Amino acid sequence: MDLPRSFTIRERSHRILDPFTSEKLAILGRALRPRPGTTILDLACGKGEMLCTWARDHQITGTGVDISTVFLRAAGERAEELGVADRVRFVHANASEFVAPEPVDIASCCGATWIGGGVAGTIELLERSLRPGGVVLIGEPFWRKDPPDQQAVQACHAMSKDQFTTLPGLVMLFRDCGWDLVEMVLADEDSWDRYVAAQWLNIRTWLDDNPDDELAEQLREELDTAPLSYVTYQRNHLGWGVFALMKR
């Protein structure tokens, strides 16, 4: 059980595997005001940057779950680097099946709501690990502008226009699921650039070092097309944010 190698190649220099900068991640932490000792479960945690930096800045404790052994190894190294390895742990497991052994104060899934079959299902999954009165964090894309055609939809990594909704549509979905939206921090064009454009240099330097690898042709084609596709469609049409929810 692991992620395809192409994911770890694209994001090998990233600490945050979403269109969030470290500044926005810190803003989110300050907005939530977690007290020392707050417990967090982060499903599909990637390289664990949220848990590690919040453990350093807010003295939280937490568990991150992911299927990528490469990302989890990086998460463990980051915890050691920041001196918080005694406050956070990382588990190699299928996040869609993981439930915390004890209820947590914050249950998070940022950028991987496929683990619950969509936003509503992921909220239900996170609630299984949440204490009464706790906070759910959902990171999710939304349409900033209506995509004009299927080419635009696919350039935004969606199978159909209905795969994402608008920002008002997301807020209504949270309400209809029985949750209050109590905070949010949204990506902007700069944070999208830092996430997506950084992948191009990762791919190019990897191609230079691995010209005969079995993935070289696929990633060479991606680098040929991805920058134009991004600036034409994704940068203009797709938003992303992290939304803090509390059960009514």
Side-chain angles (χ1 to χ4, degrees):
M1 180 176 61
D2 215 327
L3 277 180
R5 270 199 311 141
S6 58
F7 285 83
T8 60
I9 293 168
R10 285 188 202 96
E11 299 180 331
R12 60 186 182 146
S13 72
H14 293 52
R15 283 182 173 166
I16 301 171
L17 309 185
D18 295 306
F20 244 25
T21 60
S22 57
E23 292 79 10
K24 286 188 177 291
L25 189 60
I27 288 169
L28 178 64
R30 291 194 298 270
L32 295 176
R33 304 187 295 272
R35 296 178 179 177
T38 293
T39 55
I40 300 180
L41 173 68
D42 191 15
L43 297 182
C45 68
K47 296 182 182 179
E49 188 71 0
M50 183 177 76
L51 288 177
C52 291
T53 56
W54 288 9
R56 177 196 62 192
D57 298 340
H58 303 287
Q59 293 75 54
I60 64 94
T61 63
T63 299
V65 180
D66 207 278
I67 64 170
S68 171
T69 55
V70 172
F71 292 165
L72 290 176
R73 184 163 56 250
E77 292 170 356
R78 184 62 164 156
E80 292 286 350
E81 176 188 356
L82 296 184
V84 297
D86 60 331
R87 297 194 194 118
V88 296
R89 72 183 185 104
F90 297 99
V91 178
H92 182 233
N94 184 345
S96 64
E97 300 172 353
F98 190 91
V99 178
E102 298 291 337
V104 298
D105 300 309
I106 299 174
S108 170
C109 177
C110 293
T113 56
W114 51 266
I115 67 171
V119 172
T122 300
I123 291 173
E124 292 179 3
L125 175 61
L126 293 170
E127 189 179 7
R128 298 175 197 169
S129 298
L130 193 68
R131 68 163 178 79
V135 173
V136 159
L137 295 181
I138 290 285
E140 181 71 2
F142 56 86
W143 293 120
R144 292 177 58 196
K145 292 170 59 177
D146 193 40
D149 51 35
Q150 184 62 18
Q151 183 177 359
V153 169
Q154 292 177 339
C156 294
H157 306 287
M159 297 299 294
S160 69
K161 180 181 173 181
D162 294 340
Q163 186 171 337
F164 305 137
T165 184
T166 62
L167 183 55
L170 262 183
V171 174
M172 288 189 289
L173 176 58
F174 299 146
R175 181 195 64 192
D176 293 345
C177 289
W179 294 74
D180 289 324
L181 175 61
V182 296
E183 256 295 359
M184 68 179 188
V185 178
L186 303 184
D188 55 24
E189 290 179 341
D190 179 65
S191 52
W192 267 114
D193 292 347
R194 299 288 24 91
Y195 175 57
V196 177
Q199 296 179 19
W200 309 333
L201 182 57
N202 289 339
I203 292 173
R204 173 54 197 268
T205 54
W206 182 87
L207 285 169
D208 288 347
D209 293 337
N210 301 274
D212 299 321
D213 191 274
E214 62 182 0
L215 291 179
E217 182 177 355
Q218 171 192 329
L219 292 177
R220 177 67 257 179
E221 181 179 357
E222 181 175 326
L223 187 56
D224 286 343
T225 59
L228 181 59
S229 176
Y230 170 68
V231 300
T232 303
Y233 297 112
Q234 186 175 343
R235 194 175 194 267
N236 301 316
H237 289 84
L238 198 62
W240 194 86
V242 179
F243 304 89
L245 314 174
M246 296 183 71
K247 190 74 175 286
R248 288 205 188 119

